[in-house]
Every structure is written in structure tokens, then in C-alpha cells.
Amino acid sequence: MSHKLIELGWSAHFMMQLQDDELQTLPVARVTQVHRNQMIGIGHQGEFTLSVPGQGSTGDYAVGDWVVYDAHAQVVRALDRLTLVERRAAGEDARAQLIAANLDVLFITTSCNKDFNIARLERYLAVAQQAGIQPVVLLTKADLVDDTYAFEAEVQKIDPLLPVIALDTRDPEQITPLFDWWKAGQTAALVGSSGVGKSTILNSLSGSSAKTAGIREDDAKGRHTTTARCLSPVGDGRWLMDTPGMRALRLYDVSEGVAAVFQDLVDLAEHCRFSDCSHESEPGCAIQAAIEEGELDPSRLKRWKKLAREEQYNSETVAQSRSRLKSFSKMIKRVQADNRILKGDY
């Protein structure tokens, strides 16, 4: 199926990046899928396979990227993104794993059962805030509880202005209003744990029949159904990305996003007596005063400090990561040598 570029999300931001010779000779496409050795792109002529240069890696591209390609359908270069969602990749090296590019809305999906987790929601919100993407929290499985108010109230403690929608994903009349959050040529993504209903929402909005599976009743943990990120057309020119359930969202380079999610604590900290206050037992700590007066939940302070520490650790450079590991290795060897001396091995 062919598409006009503007229907795929093309805008002046991307057009201005093209050189004069590229405008005349090289077409552009949007990446809809990223696989280990190739990608799927979509352009004027519909979907087709894209390859990357010999020294390149598909890991350098994200679903949603715009790329320039040549006559052999090989990517020449990617265009600068408007927005980017990423996380720290698994392992010790400080590497980013790209999740999605050029999103307008992030539907953060959780369910009204044991899957509901404020700390996890704050992680997703920090990513959305850092990227400048509109977050919308979807509370699924609303039909399984008598009242969703308690879940909604917990979410809006983070931010009273944060959009929160409780719904039954099997009811089309409750799903259709989600179209109001983005328009033709814009892109939204569904993120959250496995089994919370992301694929069911995609099915309802796109009219497709992607494979779905429920949540286990004993522990409310989901089973993976979506195995790869994929950009799909929905609702008269809109685009929606379903993503695999992420067991861990390791923050990466989102210090401003964390500050935005915990803006109330950041503002309070400005009134502490000491600029380097750790918000533990120092005299004149405005945050501890708010806790003592019952104006602040101490668990929120703990989550803020935990995310801030984790973000700083995960966002260290590769050089810093290697230096830390090298120092740790030296320490281990030193301790082992000391132990051998104490045992009389020398």
C-alpha cells in the first residue's frame, strides 16, 4: 500500500535536513521494523526491505526513524529525530538500546491488579518527559475491579494534570476515544508489561488480529505476545507502535526527565538549609519537614533518590564504566592477595 510522506509523519523538520543533491536523487523512508540483519521501511511505494552499510548495525536505528536510501535500498543515513525513547542495554558496557523514534504520544499501559506499580510508572514517565513526548496512562482490566478510583488517584499523586484513562480493552466503545490523543501523520506507542492488553488495544484500533495472551491469575504477570516493535497504520492516517513487554526499563540519560517527574521534591529541595542536603537527617531539610508534617509520602522520596542514583550510574560513559570495573577488579585482586598472605601462602 502506497502512502504520501506527510501521512507517514514527514514534516519540515526532516525536509530541512536533506541536501540539494539528495532531494533530486535519493528517496526517503520511515522505518517500521528493525531486525538483526535488516529493516523494513515504508515510503511512496509501500513497505520494502532496507539494508544497512557493511560496517553499520541495525542497532543504530529505531522503529520510527526516517532514513535516506539509495537505488539498492541501502540506508545512506538517518535523519535527526524529533523525539527518542531509549534505555540502557543489558550488560556492563554503558550502551543505549533504542526503543522508538519520532513519537508524539506514549501510552503507558498497566492493569488494575498486581501489575500496577507506581515506581515502574515513574520510570516510563521520566523517559517520556526527557524525550518531550505526551504521556497518557492507560489502566486496563478496569472491568475486573469494582472501582478504579484508587488506581487513578495513585497515578495522579505523581502529577494531578497527568492524563489517566481506565478502560476495558475488550470494549471498542472505550478504546475508540483514544484516537483523540493523536492525529493523522502523528505516531503513538504502547509500552508496559506483558499481558496488560497492549496488543488487544492495537487490534481494536487497527482492526488487525495480532496474537494476544492474558495475565496469569496467580501473580498477575503477563506472557510475552508481541516479540518485536512494529509500526502499524490506524485510524485514518495515524500510526501506532506496539512494543514487547519490558521486564526492566533501565534509565539512560534522563536526568531532566527524573527531575520533571519529581518536580515537587526538586522545588522543596531548593528550600533546604544546605545546598548539598541529602534529605536524611540534616537540620533545615525542607523535604524531611514536609514528611513530618504529613504533606509528603516518605516512599516518594525513596523512589526519587533511587531513580536519581540509578540514572546517574546507568548514564555514565563507556570510559567511566570501564574505569569503574577496572578499579573494582583491582580491589578484588588486592583483597585476594591479602587473604593469601594471612593464610601463609606467601
Side-chain angles (χ1 to χ4, degrees):
M1 180 179 180
S2 62
H3 295 271
K4 295 179 179 178
L5 292 184
I6 195 170
E7 295 174 343
L8 301 175
W10 185 255
S11 67
H13 169 82
F14 303 110
M15 176 67 79
M16 291 172 61
Q17 299 178 50
L18 297 180
Q19 305 297 324
D20 289 341
D21 58 332
E22 292 176 333
L23 286 169
Q24 300 298 323
T25 61
L26 297 176
V28 297
R30 194 168 188 199
V31 176
T32 60
Q33 297 179 47
V34 176
H35 302 290
R36 184 179 299 274
N37 298 315
Q38 63 182 25
M39 304 186 295
I40 304 298
I42 190 169
H44 282 304
Q45 74 276 42
E47 284 195 326
F48 61 100
T49 300
L50 283 166
S51 62
V52 298
Q55 300 301 316
S57 166
T58 59
D60 297 329
Y61 304 89
V63 174
D65 267 335
W66 280 97
V67 297
V68 179
Y69 65 96
D70 62 20
H72 303 288
Q74 179 171 280
V75 173
V76 174
R77 66 185 180 96
L79 301 182
D80 291 343
R81 301 152 178 140
L82 277 169
T83 61
L84 176 65
V85 174
E86 59 185 344
R87 64 176 174 177
R88 177 159 171 163
E92 292 297 333
D93 286 343
R95 294 184 299 107
Q97 180 186 16
L98 306 184
I99 304 298
N102 301 313
L103 297 179
D104 300 284
V105 177
L106 194 68
F107 288 119
I108 304 170
T109 312
T110 186
S111 49
C112 297
N113 55 21
K114 293 180 182 178
D115 175 76
F116 183 84
N117 185 300
I118 284 293
R120 188 192 306 125
L121 288 177
E122 288 169 342
R123 287 174 180 271
Y124 281 112
L125 288 170
V127 170
Q129 292 284 4
Q130 183 74 31
I133 301 169
Q134 171 65 57
V136 179
V137 176
L138 303 183
L139 297 174
T140 63
K141 317 288 183 181
D143 55 307
L144 301 182
V145 295
D146 295 332
D147 190 355
T148 61
Y149 174 77
F151 294 96
E152 296 173 49
E154 278 297 304
V155 175
Q156 294 196 309
K157 285 180 182 178
I158 302 173
D159 180 356
L161 300 180
L162 179 63
V164 185
I165 302 172
L167 46 77
D168 176 359
T169 58
R170 299 172 301 177
D171 185 351
E173 292 186 1
Q174 296 185 41
I175 297 296
T176 301
L178 296 181
F179 281 132
D180 294 338
W181 284 99
W182 80 117
K183 60 187 179 181
Q186 291 188 328
T187 305
L190 291 157
V191 295
S193 304
S194 299
V196 296
K198 300 189 301 297
S199 294
T200 303
I201 294 172
L202 173 62
N203 291 348
S204 296
L205 293 177
S206 66
S208 65
S209 56
K211 185 179 179 182
T212 63
I215 285 180
R216 296 197 301 257
E217 294 300 328
D218 56 344
D219 58 5
K221 293 184 182 293
R223 296 185 291 271
H224 288 287
T225 52
T226 299
T227 58
R229 286 172 283 277
C230 181
L231 203 57
S232 302
V234 298
D236 299 325
R238 298 173 181 83
W239 293 85
L240 181 62
M241 185 190 306
D242 190 11
T243 64
M246 288 184 276
R247 291 188 177 90
L249 180 63
R250 303 175 75 193
L251 299 183
Y252 183 86
D253 196 20
V254 292
S255 58
E256 294 179 7
V258 171
V261 172
F262 293 92
Q263 189 62 53
D264 55 333
L265 298 183
V266 173
D267 292 341
L268 275 174
E270 292 180 356
H271 298 286
C272 291
R273 181 182 301 178
F274 304 108
S275 59
D276 60 347
C277 183
S278 66
H279 316 304
E280 292 293 342
S281 58
E282 294 92 336
C285 175
I287 289 180
Q288 285 298 328
I291 291 175
E292 291 174 4
E293 293 171 8
E295 298 175 355
L296 177 66
D297 185 344
S299 64
R300 182 159 168 79
L301 171 60
K302 291 180 180 178
R303 296 196 303 271
W304 177 41
K305 296 178 76 170
K306 178 181 179 180
L307 280 192
R309 288 194 303 268
E310 179 184 327
E311 196 284 328
Q312 183 178 20
Y313 175 84
N314 284 344
S315 300
E316 67 183 0
T317 65
V318 173
Q320 290 171 327
S321 174
R322 290 175 178 169
S323 175
R324 174 175 51 79
L325 290 172
K326 187 175 181 180
S327 297
F328 181 73
S329 178
K330 286 182 177 179
M331 182 192 71
I332 294 296
K333 291 179 179 178
R334 185 169 61 251
V335 170
Q336 290 173 337
D338 290 343
N339 287 338
R340 285 195 292 269
I341 291 173
L342 289 173
K343 292 178 180 179
D345 292 342
Y346 287 108

